[in-house]
């Protein structure tokens, strides 16, 4: 649907457009100062504003939408100039400055689409331009016939500039449509957000044809039905800019070869029809020339088009490497060849090899915090480095997301091990992306053939299991081992059990107190989840949180933790302890726009003040979708709930950015706090962070305080609170109770 997830600017634009259209219809033909002057201008400029706002909102500049925005603005400016400069009868001599605006529109839109093609199709752009040329040529042929009355009527005097311009507009419209159509044909973009652009351009084209036809008789003046069509067309283009800048990565569905031939096919048919028509009746010569050109353009490259489409179907759009299907096909071939060589008694070099499965570490974090565009650029660079570190005969593919695969022919286990090391080294250096030096690492699973399997699927599965072990152990790379099967099963079983755990109430919370460094009192605790597993005992977050996130259970888990933490807070509150409880909220829970209301209801049910709750969020969430983050946080904070930024210092956010956000507290990550005792530079860093946080009016909590020395130093530096093993480990509610009572910070529980 075109208007799904519509933002306020689009709503305002639609209202303005509706007002203008209603006014236009009510007034009837002829210029009206209110309708065609004010209302039309207001509509046009809100349309331009929609584009500028969309551009402003989208993370990182995307040049294609910037060009489209300026294009829309140029056309609106042209309209405004036309209205201001026309004579009393609503006519403006052409060519005029207005035409300059309109021509700019076409030039910039064309550039925008070229950028889209270049970005999306990586190296495979020229067939798209070829298809566009064929389609545009075919469309021009048809137009030449349709517009013959205009061009033909110019007679002996030759074509006036006015006629040329009038005829050029529909031609340009069709050219833009042809490029969009070619993009569709080559890649099968299925995103709904293209629909407004296509419909908008079609409306433009229709109106421009009518305009050009009327041009012969000088029929157009401001205040006609054509103005309405143009207003609607440009508004739809603005909707495209708005939606496209909101959308993440385009989803793509591959078209089959014959679907991709649709466009040149249609153009050929149109050209043939015009040639046929020419044999029956008068058709202008240039229309016949265009028709022939269309046929030649469509026919000549037919031969390589097929090869090209095959290559396109085998390559990954983003990196230009092989895609999953091509990798699979080639693996099947090579494995069959290896099996054949084994049967023929060939040497080991011909019948064995290794499959490496690679998965980047923390890629999701990079994608979430810096945006898809940055993630994409990282993937492209990773692909390049991988290609460089392999030999020419090796197969390399991107299987999807941040997953790559390599097939090595004739490699032993040791050689595969060496390649894995080489790959890890190659990816260890920083990647310059979005103005920063991104660091990433990779986890690699290795499966050998024929030892671990002889077919592509089982090798991939085994390499995947080994990769998973490498990832959990953070060991870089692992060779498949039989135990991995058991681990894989355990993982699946754990996911199953986690679902039941939520229902059967097997989650428990431990609490870790935070000490106020100025007063030595305990004002707050952090709730940390554990899973009281019936067979495996008490499991730590590291054992199950990733799984919960992976299988979509995180939000339910967060709600359970919130309920339990608030139940506990209510108990403490009834015993005169003023303790805030901090709950960790994963980014996936903050997608729920109903969360603020839900939390308020939970507090209300337990008669707790909102100030009793602190939500800990990570920097990733803040960076991922700034507007949404700000919206949800503002609502939560408006309700009185405090917000802390967890693991501060490990992400990519900057203090300057945090200043604009509704937050109360920074929790300085352990990795900065722990080295304080031994590394003076760590102390200096902590000192300056504390000073900065305070200058922004934020509280600062140091995490992972393990020694008296560190705690004293933090106190000296003016840090507000400390949390860590030196004060207390995370403990059960009962243990914490006893501890607090002994510190006289909690009244003993009433005896039953
Ligand atoms: P976190 O939010 O940074 O929590 C602090 C972690 O550091 C806890 O690990 C805590 O036991 C540990 N810790 C505290 N003091 C010290 C210290 O002095 N030295 C050292 N070495 N470690 C210390 P835990 O409980 O294993 O939790 C790990 C992570 O799991 C948490 O890190 C948090 O990100 C996540 N987590 C825990 N509970 C929840 C939850 O209910 N929901 C969500 N979404 N995440 C949770
Ligand atoms: Ca935390
Ligand atoms: Ca933390």
């Amino acid at each position: 649907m075109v208007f799904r997830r519509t933002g306020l600017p689009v709503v305002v634009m639609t209202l303005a457009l509706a007002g203008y259209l209603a006014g236009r219809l009510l007034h009837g033909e002829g210029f009206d100062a209110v309708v065609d002057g004010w209302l039309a201008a207001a509509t046009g400029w809100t349309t331009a504003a929609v584009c500028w706002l969309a551009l402003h909102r989208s993370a990182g500049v995307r040049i294609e939408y910037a060009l489209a925005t300026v294009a829309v603005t140029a056309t609106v400016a042209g309209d405004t100039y036309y209205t201001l400069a026309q004579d009393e009868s609503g006519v403006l001599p052409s060519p005029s400055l207005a035409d300059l605006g309109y021509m700019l529109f076409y030039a910039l839109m064309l550039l925008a689409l070229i950028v889209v093609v270049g970005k999306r199709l990586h190296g495979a752009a020229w067939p798209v331009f070829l298809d566009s040329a064929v389609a545009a040529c075919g469309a021009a042929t048809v137009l030449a016939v349709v517009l013959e009355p205009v061009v033909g009527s110019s007679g002996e005097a030759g074509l006036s500039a006015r006629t040329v311009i009038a005829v050029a507009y529909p031609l340009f419209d069709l050219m833009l449509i042809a490029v969009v159509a070619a993009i569709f044909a080559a890649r099968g973009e299925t995103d709904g957000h293209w629909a407004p652009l296509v419909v908008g351009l079609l409306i433009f084209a229709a109106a421009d044809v009518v305009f050009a036809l009327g041009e012969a008789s000088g029929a157009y003046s401001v205040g006609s039905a054509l103005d309405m069509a143009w207003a609607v067309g440009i508004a739809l283009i603005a909707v495209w800019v708005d939606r496209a800048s909101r959308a993440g990565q385009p989803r793509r569905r591959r078209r089959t070869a014959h679907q991709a031939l649709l466009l040149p096919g249609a153009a050929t048919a149109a050209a043939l029809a015009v040639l046929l028509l020419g044999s029956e009746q008068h058709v202008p010569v240039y229309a016949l020339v265009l028709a022939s050109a269309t046929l030649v353009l469509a026919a000549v490259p037919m031969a390589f088009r097929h090869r090209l489409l095959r290559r396109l179907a085998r390559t990954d759009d983003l990196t230009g490497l092989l895609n999953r299907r091509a990798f699979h096909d080639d693996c099947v071939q090579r494995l069959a060849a290896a099996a054949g060589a084994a049967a023929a008694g060939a040497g080991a070099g011909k019948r064995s090899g290794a499959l490496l499965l690679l998965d980047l570490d923390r890629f999701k974090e990079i994608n979430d915090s810096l945006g898809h565009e940055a993630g994409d650029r990282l993937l492209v660079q990773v692909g390049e480095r991988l290609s460089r570190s392999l030999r020419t005969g090796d197969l390399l593919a991107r299987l999807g997301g941040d997953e790559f695969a390599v097939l090595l022919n004739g490699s032993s286990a040791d050689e595969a091990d060496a390649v894995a090391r080489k790959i890890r080294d190659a990816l260890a250096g920083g990647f310059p992306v979005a103005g920063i030096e991104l660091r990433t690492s990779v986890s690699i699973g290795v499966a050998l053939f024929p030892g671990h399997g002889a077919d592509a699927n089982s090798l991939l599965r085994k390499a995947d299991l080994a990769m998973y072990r490498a990832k959990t152990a953070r060991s870089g790379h692992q060779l498949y081992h039989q135990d991995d099967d058991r681990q894989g099963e355990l993982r699946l079983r754990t996911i199953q059990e986690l679902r039941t755990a939520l229902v059967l109430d097997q989650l428990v919370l431990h609490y870790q107190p935070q000490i106020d460094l100025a007063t030595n009192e305990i004002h707050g605790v952090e709730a940390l989840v554990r899973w009281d597993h019936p067979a495996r005992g008490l499991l730590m977050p590291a054992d199950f949180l990733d799984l919960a996130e992976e299988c979509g259970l995180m939000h339910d888990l967060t709600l359970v933790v919130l309920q339990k933490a608030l139940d506990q807070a209510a108990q403490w509150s009834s015993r005169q302890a003023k303790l805030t409880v901090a709950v960790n909220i994963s980014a996936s829970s903050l997608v729920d726009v109903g969360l603020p209301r839900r939390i308020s209801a939970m507090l209300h049910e337990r008669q707790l003040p909102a100030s009793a709750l602190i939500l800990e969020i990570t920097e990733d969430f803040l960076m991922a979708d700034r507007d949404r983050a700000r919206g949800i946080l503002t609502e939560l904070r408006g309700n009185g709930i405090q917000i802390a930024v967890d693991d501060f210092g490990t992400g990519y956010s900057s203090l300057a950015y945090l200043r604009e956000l509704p937050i109360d507290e920074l929790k300085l990550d352990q990795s900065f706090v722990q080295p304080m005792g031994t590394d003076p530079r760590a102390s200096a860093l902590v000192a300056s962070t504390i000073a900065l946080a305070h200058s922004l009016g934020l509280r600062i909590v140091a995490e992972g305080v393990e020694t008296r020395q560190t705690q004293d130093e933090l106190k000296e530096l003016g840090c507000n609170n400390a949390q860590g093993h030196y004060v207390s480990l995370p403990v059960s509610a009962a243990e914490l109770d006893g501890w607090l009572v002994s510190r006289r910070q909690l009244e003993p529980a009433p005896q039953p």
Side-chain angles (χ1 to χ4, degrees):
M1 272 309 297
V2 172
F3 287 103
R4 187 185 30 163
R5 277 209 325 167
T6 297
L8 184 64
V10 173
V11 172
V12 172
M13 177 188 75
T14 310
L15 288 176
L17 181 65
Y20 162 68
L21 292 179
R24 188 83 287 288
L25 286 171
L26 286 176
H27 189 268
E29 285 286 296
F31 183 78
D32 175 76
V34 176
V35 175
D36 302 297
W38 293 109
L39 273 178
T43 309
W45 287 105
T46 34
T47 304
V50 164
C51 297
W52 285 104
L53 287 172
L55 199 63
H56 173 72
R57 189 189 47 228
S58 68
V61 180
R62 290 160 84 176
I63 181 98
E64 62 270 40
Y65 302 123
L67 287 166
T69 298
V70 181
V72 167
T73 311
T75 232
V76 171
D79 283 342
T80 304
Y81 176 80
Y82 201 112
T83 313
L84 291 175
Q86 62 178 329
D87 59 24
E88 296 90 64
S89 57
V91 174
L92 180 68
S94 173
S96 71
L97 275 179
D99 290 307
L100 183 68
Y102 303 145
M103 287 294 168
L104 258 177
F105 167 81
Y106 289 109
L108 293 169
M109 282 301 286
L110 192 63
L111 269 180
L113 291 178
I114 289 174
V115 172
V116 170
V117 174
K119 272 194 178 174
R120 297 268 159 86
L121 301 180
H122 290 277
W126 75 263
V128 172
F129 291 125
L130 193 71
D131 276 353
S132 310
V134 174
C137 215
T141 311
V142 175
L143 264 188
V145 175
V146 174
L147 294 178
E148 164 61 9
V150 188
V151 182
S153 73
S154 56
E156 298 295 289
L159 289 177
S160 66
R162 186 185 175 90
T163 313
V164 170
I165 287 175
V167 172
Y169 289 141
L171 205 64
F172 289 150
D173 291 323
L174 286 171
M175 206 154 84
L176 294 184
I177 294 172
V179 180
V180 175
I183 294 176
F184 273 102
R187 265 304 184 260
E189 303 265 356
T190 52
D191 277 13
H193 76 245
W194 283 90
L197 176 66
V198 174
V199 178
L201 287 174
L202 283 172
I203 293 178
F204 247 65
D208 285 343
V209 168
V210 175
F211 172 78
L213 285 173
E215 192 55 20
S217 50
Y220 173 78
S221 65
V222 178
S224 80
L226 283 181
D227 295 324
M228 296 201 280
W230 282 317
V232 172
I234 201 79
L236 282 169
I237 294 172
V239 169
W240 168 68
V241 174
D242 181 76
R243 298 191 49 72
S245 66
R246 275 169 208 270
Q249 280 307 87
R251 280 169 286 119
R252 278 166 217 157
R253 180 160 50 84
R254 282 179 191 284
R255 303 247 152 137
T256 54
H258 63 268
Q259 271 173 309
L261 289 178
L262 216 68
L263 201 59
T268 310
L272 283 174
V274 168
L275 287 178
L276 267 176
L277 192 71
S279 67
E280 301 272 313
Q281 63 185 72
H282 168 72
V283 166
V285 178
Y286 54 87
L288 297 176
V289 172
L290 279 171
S292 315
T294 308
L295 291 181
V296 172
L297 267 179
V300 171
M302 237 6 145
F304 359 53
R305 189 187 299 277
H306 199 74
R307 267 226 308 275
L308 214 115
L309 285 172
R310 205 179 102 79
R311 213 186 72 202
L312 268 181
R314 283 172 51 85
T315 38
D316 169 54
D317 302 335
L318 183 65
T319 57
L321 302 177
L322 293 182
N323 59 23
R324 179 183 281 273
R325 197 171 68 201
F327 183 75
H328 187 269
D329 291 351
D330 290 4
C331 270
V332 168
Q333 269 183 20
R334 293 197 181 195
L335 290 171
K350 290 229 162 68
R351 51 190 160 83
S352 63
L355 192 154
L356 278 62
L357 192 80
L358 289 69
D359 191 287
L360 297 185
D361 303 325
R362 292 182 55 178
F363 178 72
K364 187 178 177 304
E365 224 168 282
I366 290 172
N367 227 3
D368 285 353
S369 51
L370 299 177
H372 288 287
E373 198 105 330
D376 280 357
R377 263 180 280 167
L378 176 66
L379 289 175
V380 170
Q381 294 186 37
V382 166
E384 287 164 359
R385 284 198 200 171
L386 288 175
S387 316
R388 259 180 278 143
S389 50
L390 293 171
R391 291 171 309 191
T392 32
D394 302 334
L395 269 190
L396 166 65
R398 174 169 169 242
L399 301 184
D402 60 341
E403 226 179 49
F404 295 83
V406 176
L407 187 80
L408 306 173
N409 266 97
S411 295
S412 64
D414 285 344
E415 283 159 351
D417 186 83
V419 172
R421 275 177 210 285
K422 191 168 164 205
I423 289 176
R424 286 170 54 199
D425 285 346
L427 299 186
F431 294 84
V433 167
I436 40 178
E437 190 78 353
L438 278 185
R439 304 234 154 232
T440 183
S441 54
V442 61
S443 297
I444 306 176
V446 184
L448 302 174
F449 63 88
H452 296 147
D455 68 292
N457 283 334
S458 63
L459 281 173
L460 266 172
R461 195 179 61 79
K462 291 184 170 165
D464 188 48
L465 289 170
M467 186 280 291
Y468 197 80
R469 180 154 50 94
K471 187 148 281 201
T472 10
R474 295 177 203 276
S475 59
H477 69 281
Q478 290 288 347
L479 183 65
Y480 166 80
H481 186 278
Q482 277 177 343
D483 287 349
D484 291 340
D485 287 322
R486 232 166 298 143
Q487 284 300 321
E489 277 163 37
L490 177 67
R491 228 166 70 79
L492 287 181
R493 204 173 54 235
T494 310
I495 291 176
Q496 282 307 323
E497 289 172 346
L498 192 56
R499 288 184 210 280
T500 10
L502 286 171
V503 182
L504 296 184
D505 197 23
Q506 291 173 355
L507 297 186
V508 286
L509 296 188
H510 279 186
Y511 297 89
Q512 188 174 35
Q514 291 178 3
I515 191 163
D516 181 329
L517 289 171
T519 62
N520 259 355
E521 285 177 358
I522 305 298
H523 289 310
V525 299
E526 175 176 2
L528 294 158
V529 71
R530 272 92 182 98
W531 176 5
D532 193 4
H533 191 283
R536 295 161 64 196
L538 201 67
L539 299 182
M540 298 302 278
D543 299 323
F544 60 92
L545 280 187
D546 283 347
L547 284 180
E549 193 77 73
E550 228 172 87
C551 60
L553 287 174
M554 199 57 170
H555 189 45
D556 291 341
L557 184 142
T558 301
L559 291 178
V560 169
V561 171
L562 271 168
Q563 303 270 11
K564 287 181 181 291
L566 291 179
D567 281 345
Q568 187 58 49
Q571 254 197 50
W572 284 324
S573 156
S574 71
R575 285 159 59 197
Q576 312 307 318
K578 280 217 162 37
L579 285 177
T580 59
V581 56
V583 173
N584 293 283
I585 303 285
S586 86
S588 50
S589 289
L590 280 161
V591 179
D592 175 11
V593 282
L595 191 72
R597 226 175 332 113
R598 245 193 248 236
I599 292 181
S600 289
M602 287 185 196
L603 287 163
H604 187 74
E605 279 163 28
R606 295 166 180 82
Q607 298 180 341
L608 280 169
S611 58
L613 180 63
I614 300 183
L615 297 182
E616 295 193 4
I617 58 176
T618 54
E619 289 169 74
D620 302 335
F621 167 71
L622 294 175
M623 300 293 289
D625 184 340
R626 299 180 178 203
D627 285 342
R628 199 185 57 201
R630 196 194 306 261
I632 296 179
L633 294 185
T634 308
E635 188 176 349
L636 284 165
R637 203 148 168 271
N639 296 344
I641 292 157
Q642 300 175 73
I643 310 289
V645 176
D646 204 357
D647 305 341
F648 179 72
T650 58
Y652 298 103
S653 64
S654 66
L655 274 173
Y657 165 59
L658 291 179
R659 185 179 54 188
E660 304 166 17
L661 280 173
I663 52 177
D664 303 271
E665 183 177 287
L666 296 183
K667 296 191 74 175
L668 189 59
D669 192 68
Q670 324 193 342
S671 55
F672 298 92
V673 178
Q674 274 163 3
M676 279 173 75
T678 49
D679 184 351
R681 283 174 312 177
S683 299
L685 198 66
V686 169
S688 62
T689 309
I690 292 172
L692 263 169
H694 285 167
S695 72
L696 294 176
L698 300 173
R699 251 185 352 253
I700 189 148
V701 181
E703 288 192 294
V705 180
E706 291 184 348
T707 62
R708 163 95 190 253
Q709 186 201 352
T710 306
Q711 180 163 320
D712 289 346
E713 197 180 339
L714 284 163
K715 181 176 179 174
E716 208 137 287
L717 293 175
C719 184
N720 303 84
N721 299 333
Q723 175 180 345
H725 293 170
Y726 180 66
V727 178
S728 164
L729 293 171
V731 290
S732 69
E735 278 177 88
L736 187 69
D737 264 20
W739 189 74
L740 286 172
V741 170
S742 74
R743 288 176 62 101
R744 296 172 189 280
Q745 282 204 248
L746 184 68
E747 288 182 2
Q751 295 303 316

